[in-house]
Every structure is written in C-alpha cells, then in structure tokens.
Amino acid sequence: MTSTKGWSLEGILDRGPNFHEVYRVSATSDTLSQTIKEHERKGIPLVIEGFHRHPEWPQHMFTLDHFTTNSVSPDISVRNVHDCTDTTLSLIDFIAKCRLSGPCKGKDEKERFYGKDSECPKTWDEWLQSGDAIPEILLSKGPEDFFRYRPENAAVETLMCYLGIGDTFTPCHKDLCASSGQNLMCYTERDGSSFWFMTESSSAPAAADFFQTLGQELDHENYVITIDELTRAPFKVYVLEQKLGDLVLVPPRSCHQVVNCGGITVKTSWSRMTLKGLSTAYYHELPIYRRQVLVCRPETYRVKSTIHHALV
C-alpha cells in the first residue's frame, strides 16, 4: 500500500524526467475560458485554482457538519484500503474514525477508510448548477454536456462526493466512456490535500500497454501504480497536489490515480459528455469494455442512446 509520508510536489517532480506539473489558471483569470478550451482541445489536464477565494464560495455550506446534516443518507459506503473490503458506516462514525487516524498509515494498522461515490447534498448540487462560480461550459447538463439531451426518466447521474484522509486512494483508471471529469476540493482539515498522477488523452493506449508489462490490466481499475513504476513510463505523467478550492479538469481517456494526503478532504466530482467524447467512446472505449476475457464491463453512461437522444 502506497504511503504519502514525506511527499511533496517538488520532490515527486524531481524523480522522473517524464514528470510534468499540471498547468494552473486562476478562477478569476480573464483568459479562463480560452485556457479551458485550449486544454480540452489538446487533451491535457488543467487545474483551475482559487475557487475558495471566489466571492460566491459558500464557506458556511462546504463543511462536514453541513454535509452530515444535509446528506441524502445518514450512512456512507466506505472501503478499507488495507484489504479492499467495502462496508457501510454511519457518517458520524466514519468522520470520527477519520479524525482519530493519523495522516499516514501506522505500522500495525488494519483499518483506514475511504468514503467513495457518496451522493452529494442537494444544496451543494444547487450551488454548483447556479453557474455563479463554476464556468457554465463545465456544468453538468450545461451547453458542453450531451447528457442534457437525455430524457428525465433516463438521466445519467454523475455527481458524487469523496471523503478521505491521508493514504487513502483511488487506483489508476479512466473516467467512464471517455467522459470529461471535473473534481472540486470543497473542504479540508489539517492541511489535507490530494496528489494526482495523470496522462494526456492520447497516452491511453500506451498506458494500457505499460500496465500489461507490469502484469496488470488498466481497465480493471484495481492496481495502485507506484511512483517508481511511473518514472519508467514511456509517456508524460502530469502531477499535481490538489488543495482547497482547486478544480481539476480530467480529459477524456486520461489515466489518473489519486492519493489523499494529510487530514480529511472532501471532493465533489461530476462528468460531462462532449461531442468528441461520444465519438471517442463509440470507437475506442466501448470495444475495450466488450473484451470478455480481459475486461467485460457495463457501459453505464449509455453512449449509443445518448447519441440517439441528441439526434432526435
């Protein structure tokens, strides 16, 4: 299991000639829209920073107390990263366990929980969709999201929250069906942050081949690749440390791994399906999902029916 003890962004970037820092742009920059479009065109990761300093940032709402009080359920599905077993805890118990845990795994530690794929409070969703802070082109069901064409009774729900502490993680994976990912750090305690290791969109085939040289299958999404292994990767690896107010933009097919560091972090994420994403999914991702021997996974985001609803 990976440990973030002693990690720093500068130290990681110095470890491999193929490591590159993710470009950052201010949430209030005059060139924000242009920068987003340029990085989307190139399929390169981007961080929009400083949302927590935006005048519309709801500091009173982005708290664990508000999350617990307004959560859809009093319970949360969690994963013990030591043995990859899933269980359900009450939100109150989960948060208490996180606050009692150290920032890094202990020598004889048996439990360290990560709350994944939790429903976001409706108040958070409403703030995101208001468009007063997050650029409209990045919004779920916005002008650059083809999921907006799906009928209400067949809507695709992508908005989720992730609650974790240091040394919890999401193994290397690609977002479903060549969708475009957005991940906003809403709340932190004790200098909590998250380290991301990402590829360009165009590096997906090379990354899949590299995983096979390690005896792993990228699309199984169950392997935590090490920094040492990434230094030997035959493609660019983009690295960032996500902190409070950072919105990470994940290009379609970008292979990425997230490792939490320090105290509690709460992130909210959602996916968009662009026209280019639909084409990429149809011709490149869906054939991978149908490989029965190695992958065989559900489509989930209903690519063909989304194309149908966009056309009719």
Side-chain angles (χ1 to χ4, degrees):
M1 176 179 152
T2 296
S3 176
T4 57
K5 186 175 182 179
W7 279 18
S8 70
L9 179 59
E10 295 75 15
I12 293 172
L13 290 170
D14 286 342
R15 290 181 62 174
N18 58 330
F19 285 4
H20 302 264
E21 185 173 0
V22 176
Y23 184 79
R24 288 177 168 270
V25 61
S26 171
T28 57
S29 171
D30 292 337
T31 62
L32 179 58
S33 179
Q34 178 184 342
T35 303
I36 292 171
K37 291 177 181 178
E38 182 69 9
H39 277 72
E40 283 199 339
R41 183 181 67 80
K42 294 180 178 179
I44 297 175
L46 176 68
V47 178
I48 305 175
E49 64 181 6
F51 277 106
H52 63 303
R53 294 188 292 271
H54 193 285
E56 297 298 328
W57 180 261
Q59 188 170 350
H60 67 285
M61 188 172 71
F62 283 156
T63 66
L64 282 178
D65 287 341
H66 187 279
F67 186 94
T68 303
T69 303
N70 294 273
S71 178
V72 177
S73 168
D75 300 323
I76 185 171
S77 176
V78 299
R79 171 161 294 182
N80 184 356
V81 297
H82 282 286
D83 58 14
C84 294
T85 56
D86 296 330
T87 189
T88 300
L89 297 174
S90 74
L91 264 171
I92 293 174
D93 287 347
F94 168 68
I95 293 169
K97 285 178 180 289
C98 288
R99 285 173 169 161
L100 288 173
S101 299
C104 299
K105 63 179 180 179
K107 182 179 178 182
D108 299 316
E109 185 181 87
K110 296 292 191 297
E111 289 184 344
R112 183 164 287 258
F113 293 114
Y114 189 18
K116 299 180 63 178
D117 300 340
S118 175
E119 286 192 59
C120 283
K122 286 183 170 41
T123 49
W124 292 27
D125 186 11
E126 291 167 358
W127 178 81
L128 289 168
Q129 290 299 118
S130 71
D132 293 334
I134 306 299
E136 186 182 22
I137 60 172
L138 300 179
L139 294 179
S140 174
K141 313 297 193 299
E144 295 296 321
D145 184 6
F146 274 68
F147 286 147
R148 73 186 187 276
Y149 292 113
R150 298 190 62 83
E152 209 169 298
N153 63 359
V156 173
E157 298 301 330
T158 71
L159 184 66
M160 296 178 182
C161 285
Y162 298 81
L163 294 79
I165 54 171
D167 289 2
T168 58
F169 52 82
T170 300
C172 196
H173 67 288
K174 295 175 290 184
D175 285 347
L176 288 170
C177 300
S179 57
S180 298
Q182 290 75 212
N183 188 295
L184 176 66
M185 183 76 81
C186 299
Y187 175 82
T188 64
E189 290 184 2
R190 294 184 293 166
D191 296 320
S193 65
S194 297
F195 285 91
W196 290 61
F197 303 87
M198 313 174 73
T199 72
E200 302 175 0
S201 297
S202 60
S203 296
D209 290 344
F210 182 62
F211 263 65
Q212 291 184 349
T213 69
L214 302 173
Q216 304 294 330
E217 181 68 31
L218 172 63
D219 288 281
H220 286 170
E221 302 184 354
N222 60 6
Y223 185 67
V224 181
I225 194 167
T226 67
I227 293 177
D228 285 341
E229 288 168 334
L230 285 171
T231 63
R232 303 194 299 271
F235 46 80
K236 291 181 179 179
V237 177
Y238 293 84
V239 187
L240 70 98
E241 183 179 9
Q242 183 188 23
K243 297 185 177 182
L244 182 65
D246 284 349
L247 176 64
V248 180
L249 303 189
V250 185
R253 303 193 86 198
S254 170
C255 309
H256 56 285
Q257 178 168 290
V258 185
V259 184
N260 297 316
C261 180
I264 296 176
T265 60
V266 182
K267 301 187 286 288
T268 183
S269 72
W270 65 97
S271 297
R272 293 178 298 120
M273 183 61 76
T274 65
L275 178 60
K276 183 177 180 181
L278 283 173
S279 175
T280 301
Y282 187 87
Y283 289 107
H284 299 286
E285 289 298 289
L286 296 192
I288 294 174
Y289 294 178
R290 299 190 192 106
R291 281 159 46 193
Q292 294 185 1
V293 176
L294 293 177
V295 180
C296 191
R297 62 181 298 175
E299 182 181 330
T300 305
Y301 280 178
R302 309 289 300 279
V303 171
K304 291 181 181 179
S305 67
T306 299
I307 295 172
H308 167 78
H309 289 299
L311 292 173
V312 296

